[in-house]
Amino acid sequence: MPLRRLGWRRFLVLAGVVLFIAACAVFMVFTLGQSLGARALLVGVVAAILPVPVLVACFLWLDRYEPEPLKYLIFCFAWGAFVSTAASRTVNEFAAGRFADWGLPAALTGVLVAPFIEELTKALGPILLLVFRRREWSGITDGLVYCGLSAVGFAMVENILYLGGYGYAAGADRYGPATGTQQVIAIFIVRILLFGFAHPLFTSMTGVGLGVAARTADRRVRVLAPVAGLLLAMMLHGTWNLLPTLTQATGEAIIMLYGFLGLMVPVFFGMVGLAVWLRAWEGRLTERTLPDYVRAGWLTPPEVAALSSLGRRHAARSWARRVAGDAGLRAMRGYQFAATRLALLRDGTLRGLDRKPADQERSAREERELLEAIGAYRSFFVGRDPQAPVGVWDGSRYHLRFPDGTQRPVDAPDEPVVPIPVVLAPAPPAPPVGYAPPGWPGLRPAAPWTPGQH
């Protein structure tokens, strides 16, 4: 896709965002360094970074069908790591001071204040993306990815405080470096290995709400869904913080055990199941929306079928590399990305997301650009497989040329064949009418197979 020009206004906004995040990062480094000391800060940073690649990889795994721009992923992670932690630390310390002045226990900060300010600030970065870059949101999966990365960044910096301060610094000051190291290992096992999913799980509730809002045309849902998700995240976070407080107050460790096994574990596996299902749904979206372009002659049935799962996409990339080398492999990846974007664009318009004439015009323009990109990518590997017949797809049937020189029409198979056969679909005289509903004028009869039949 062509890049947008970086005008002076966009440059100033971008520079302001970068400087703001950098200022928050400097503030956090200075604050943590002042309270922990250089050695404890270094120990905390090293230990807190260890689980980050694993957690980030899990969220990127969810986003394989239509990967989000790297700059937005980095923005969400940096927002959670520096902006959210800076704001949350300031508010939590202020609240703890007020509770102390009123003679109330400091533990109330973790139950009544921290869940609200932390979840709100973690979600604010993804919310800004939804407001100003809504077209980059393909649904709930993107909400889980953006909010999850923000939560991972927040948890990383918070773990520096726990591992470096409550772990190494507290142990080393009282008994020496060996004890400090032992406490770091103990906190790492409990806080990261056992409960490392906590912050991403809380904020994923907000991600679900933001993802629902991104794919609906109902203005009420656009407002209520994020609010409901954020409130659910706050309540879940507050309940989680309440468990150790009650355990310490009553001396009953069974409260923590019941809360962990009865609440957090089911919620965690439920969210994992939802994420996996949504990932598969995003792959099947091409089967539901792209047949319109098959009937218009822009795609062939096997091409659509080869986009429906990661396994088939991998097979198509392997085939493209075999017949066209590394250039064919890169072209197939670009082709699959453009086709997925086209399916999301078509689905969004059928949902009525583009109400303003400017948005409708932009969608139609992006549709044409994606169709042209698909044709350009296809040219890298089309016609290069000597084992496939030469022919064209006219929107309803193949016209194949056989080894004896004869040429005749052949109906599409009842079950589409994958990986993609080399069947060149010539570009129609004009792209489909921008986002007309299924059955727009001029469409040919549908292919005999239907999505999900294979």
Side-chain angles (χ1 to χ4, degrees):
M1 297 299 298
L3 298 176
R4 290 180 296 178
R5 295 180 58 186
L6 186 63
W8 65 271
R9 291 182 179 178
R10 290 189 64 219
F11 176 78
L12 289 179
V13 172
L14 179 61
V17 171
V18 172
L19 290 176
F20 177 64
I21 294 177
C24 292
V26 172
F27 170 78
M28 287 305 300
V29 171
F30 175 79
T31 303
L32 292 176
Q34 193 175 38
S35 61
L36 304 181
R39 179 176 297 180
L41 177 62
L42 180 61
V43 172
V45 168
V46 173
I49 287 178
L50 291 178
V52 171
V54 177
L55 294 173
V56 170
C58 291
F59 286 105
L60 296 183
W61 175 83
L62 286 177
D63 201 31
R64 288 184 62 187
Y65 278 107
E66 197 254 338
E68 303 310 312
L70 181 61
K71 58 184 178 181
Y72 297 143
L73 301 179
I74 294 176
F75 166 77
C76 288
F77 182 86
W79 182 277
F82 305 119
V83 179
S84 179
T85 53
S88 298
R89 181 178 175 84
T90 302
V91 173
N92 288 338
E93 288 184 348
F94 175 82
R98 300 290 74 76
F99 286 146
D101 295 339
W102 299 334
L104 298 175
L108 289 178
T109 303
V111 178
L112 300 179
V113 179
F116 297 94
I117 185 61
E118 291 178 7
E119 293 306 321
L120 178 62
T121 54
K122 282 188 291 183
L124 187 56
I127 289 174
L128 292 176
L129 275 184
L130 179 61
V131 172
F132 295 103
R133 290 292 182 267
R134 183 178 65 84
R135 302 180 74 88
E136 295 296 337
W137 286 67
S138 61
I140 300 177
T141 300
D142 287 358
L144 294 176
V145 171
Y146 286 138
C147 289
L149 290 180
S150 179
V152 170
F154 182 94
M156 179 190 71
V157 176
E158 189 181 60
N159 287 335
I160 294 175
L161 175 62
Y162 280 87
L163 294 167
Y166 304 144
Y168 183 82
D173 290 344
R174 295 184 63 182
Y175 304 107
T179 302
T181 303
Q182 292 176 354
Q183 293 191 181
V184 168
I185 295 175
I187 294 177
F188 185 92
I189 293 174
V190 174
R191 182 170 179 82
I192 294 180
L193 296 185
L194 295 181
F195 307 136
F197 62 86
H199 274 292
L201 178 62
F202 304 149
T203 315
S204 66
M205 305 300 167
T206 308
V208 172
L210 294 176
V212 171
R215 303 300 290 181
T216 181
D218 192 324
R219 293 183 178 180
R220 293 169 298 180
V221 177
R222 287 186 176 183
V223 175
L224 294 178
V227 172
L230 182 59
L231 290 177
L232 184 58
M234 291 176 177
M235 290 188 293
L236 190 63
H237 193 163
T239 303
W240 176 248
N241 287 356
L242 180 63
L243 293 176
T245 303
L246 291 178
T247 300
Q248 185 176 8
T250 62
E252 297 289 341
I254 198 69
I255 295 177
M256 188 68 187
L257 180 62
Y258 281 164
F260 178 69
L261 296 179
L263 176 64
M264 300 303 295
V265 171
V267 172
F268 171 75
F269 282 107
M271 185 57 64
V272 170
L274 174 64
V276 173
W277 180 84
L278 289 170
R279 185 174 183 261
W281 177 90
E282 195 171 80
R284 294 191 299 270
L285 180 65
T286 56
E287 291 184 320
R288 297 191 295 270
T289 58
L290 293 185
D292 289 338
Y293 298 96
V294 172
R295 293 188 289 267
W298 282 92
L299 298 171
T300 64
E303 286 181 301
V304 176
L307 294 167
S308 61
S309 70
L310 290 175
R312 290 181 173 182
R313 292 187 180 213
H314 177 73
R317 290 195 298 269
S318 299
W319 169 84
R321 186 170 193 172
R322 177 174 61 83
V323 301
D326 291 338
L329 174 62
R330 291 192 295 269
M332 180 60 75
R333 285 175 176 166
Y335 170 91
Q336 292 172 345
F337 176 78
T340 304
R341 292 280 297 184
L342 182 64
L344 290 167
L345 194 64
R346 174 78 176 161
D347 177 72
T349 300
L350 294 177
R351 292 172 180 267
L353 300 185
D354 298 324
R355 292 188 172 184
K356 299 180 180 178
D359 292 336
Q360 295 173 0
E361 181 181 352
R362 182 178 178 181
S363 294
R365 183 174 65 253
E366 186 176 351
E367 179 190 45
R368 290 192 297 270
E369 292 171 348
L370 287 169
L371 288 170
E372 292 171 359
I374 286 173
Y377 285 129
R378 185 193 286 118
S379 66
F380 277 86
F381 45 78
V382 122
R384 297 198 178 191
D385 190 349
Q387 300 177 0
V390 178
V392 296
W393 168 259
D394 66 4
S396 59
R397 293 184 299 178
Y398 293 105
H399 297 270
L400 302 181
R401 186 169 68 248
F402 292 88
D404 60 359
T406 61
Q407 182 172 340
R408 60 179 181 267
V410 177
D411 293 332
D414 293 334
E415 295 187 4
V417 181
V418 291
I420 299 174
V422 181
V423 178
L424 176 61
V433 178
Y435 289 93
W440 66 65
L443 283 182
R444 305 176 180 87
W449 59 274
T450 56
Q453 185 177 9
H454 55 283

